[in-house]
Amino acid sequence: MNRVFARFYPNDVCGVVYQNAHAAPARIAALAALESLRDPRLEVAAQHAGRSDKSEVRLAAVPVLARLEPGVSLPVLKRLASHGTASDQQAVYPVLQ
């Protein structure tokens, strides 16, 4: 119950994706929930997740970004391909081909 009233925690699922203080599994689950709900905020949330400082979150964002419009996903995917870790690049290259 304390979590409900604490101002530190976001009020909605989209806020969990944006908040870097949350553990990666919570952010990944929130991104999946937005996709399953076909939430209109998914595009921005996936872009944000793709630029995360946590590798697990970036890797979870790649398949979501792959299913979005190229105009939305391509800038983030290109950035991961050129500046990401080896794991990021390995996940992104098949999507870009």
Side-chain angles (χ1 to χ4, degrees):
M1 197 57 139
N2 290 336
R3 187 177 175 127
V4 173
F5 297 109
R7 295 177 67 196
F8 174 75
Y9 298 104
N11 293 330
D12 61 1
V13 175
C14 200
V16 174
V17 175
Y18 295 137
Q19 196 173 41
N20 286 331
H22 282 288
R27 294 175 68 195
I28 293 167
L31 187 62
L34 287 172
E35 186 174 28
S36 68
L37 294 170
R38 298 184 181 165
D39 193 298
R41 300 171 294 179
L42 175 65
E43 292 178 353
V44 177
Q47 289 174 332
H48 186 79
R51 291 187 297 266
S52 173
D53 58 346
K54 296 187 182 192
S55 178
E56 305 96 322
V57 177
R58 288 192 310 270
L59 291 174
V62 169
V64 176
L65 287 164
R67 291 186 285 273
L68 296 176
E69 293 292 322
V72 172
S73 60
L74 202 53
V76 178
L77 293 173
K78 282 183 174 180
R79 182 179 178 276
L80 287 173
S82 62
H83 301 306
T85 64
S87 297
D88 294 338
Q89 293 171 350
Q90 189 175 17
V92 168
Y93 284 145
V95 173
L96 291 176
Q97 292 181 346

